[in-house]
Amino acid sequence: MEKYAHIHEYDREILLPYSRFFPSNHLIFKTKNTDRKLESLLGLKLLSDLLRKIDSQCQIQDIMYTAEGKPYFRDRNLHISIAHACGMVLVGLGDHSLGLDIEHRQARSPIIPEIHLNKKLLFFTGVENWIKAWVHQEAVLKMFGWGDMNYCQDIIWDSANKGTFADYAFLLQEIEMLPEYYAAKCSLIR
């Protein structure tokens, strides 16, 4: 289940109280970028909205964070993925591991031009657009974690949207949202 929204749809005062749900050492408190902070807060707001719909016993207060800042529930079999870019935030919950990513179609990130030069990545993702290829790759990497995976060497693609990594089969799906964004979801196949 996914939900998305843009930070400009919310008054800052609505989002600021969500900062109390982050641990004091969370990355949100280290960034000087106001929009990035608001995107993180909106992520928790959207996550809270989804939790109310699916599990009234589960609260955002129950969320823990890895050293890298990835959210998880310690005592529940409920998986979280949050992605944000250019003011847009995408949140997903699932019974199994999942990974989400989103980028603006006109992205100018300093990392992405390097990917543009990586013809291998475009070949392995099966898409011509390098920003879309980046989103596909990031969704897969977010689901499996960053570890030692080499996206172009370790994944065996069965089709354009189904692949395997180690002993895990997964499905890569594009998420339809606003036309100026690419978004993708990677989830395990049961």
Side-chain angles (χ1 to χ4, degrees):
M1 174 184 293
E2 299 90 35
K3 185 171 180 148
Y4 67 87
H6 198 278
I7 59 172
H8 298 300
E9 296 173 33
Y10 291 86
D11 184 281
R12 213 181 138 143
E13 303 308 312
I14 291 172
L15 299 177
L16 287 176
Y18 284 90
S19 63
R20 75 178 190 270
F21 297 113
F22 287 105
S24 60
N25 64 343
H26 194 274
L27 299 173
I28 188 175
F29 299 114
K30 296 177 184 170
T31 184
K32 304 265 189 252
N33 184 324
T34 304
D35 281 349
R36 191 88 171 149
K37 284 181 182 179
L38 290 174
E39 288 171 355
S40 295
L41 296 172
L42 178 55
L44 278 187
K45 162 82 171 93
L46 296 175
L47 187 56
S48 178
D49 294 348
L50 283 177
L51 286 171
R52 273 196 298 276
K53 288 182 180 180
I54 64 167
D55 186 349
S56 61
Q57 299 300 313
C58 200
Q59 304 291 318
I60 59 174
Q61 296 91 320
D62 301 331
I63 295 173
M64 307 295 292
Y65 293 89
T66 65
E68 296 79 26
K70 183 174 172 56
Y72 70 95
F73 289 102
R74 182 180 10 181
D75 300 327
R76 301 231 181 239
N77 191 21
L78 192 58
H79 299 266
I80 305 167
S81 188
I82 301 174
H84 44 90
C86 300
M88 184 62 70
V89 179
L90 174 63
V91 173
L93 287 172
D95 295 334
H96 298 286
S97 187
L98 70 147
L100 298 175
D101 196 51
I102 184 173
E103 278 295 339
H104 195 276
R105 289 178 187 254
Q106 304 299 318
R108 297 283 183 235
S109 168
I111 297 171
I112 291 179
E114 295 172 23
I115 299 303
H116 178 58
L117 301 174
N118 190 343
K119 305 282 190 230
K120 204 175 194 183
L121 176 62
L122 296 178
F123 172 78
F124 280 99
T125 58
V127 297
E128 304 80 33
N129 182 297
W130 57 275
I131 297 174
K132 187 187 271 191
W134 174 262
V135 168
H136 288 190
Q137 173 184 268
E138 290 289 297
V140 172
L141 292 173
K142 284 180 178 181
M143 186 183 83
F144 287 109
W146 295 92
D148 295 327
M149 175 192 274
N150 181 315
Y151 187 83
C152 296
Q153 294 175 358
D154 297 340
I155 294 176
I156 299 167
W157 290 99
D158 300 331
S159 68
N161 63 346
K162 290 183 182 177
T164 56
F165 170 68
D167 292 331
Y168 301 99
F170 64 88
L171 177 65
L172 184 63
Q173 301 167 290
E174 292 188 12
I175 298 173
E176 293 294 323
M177 45 188 323
L178 299 178
E180 60 269 19
Y181 290 90
Y182 288 120
K185 173 184 176 181
C186 184
S187 55
L188 291 177
I189 297 174
R190 300 178 209 188

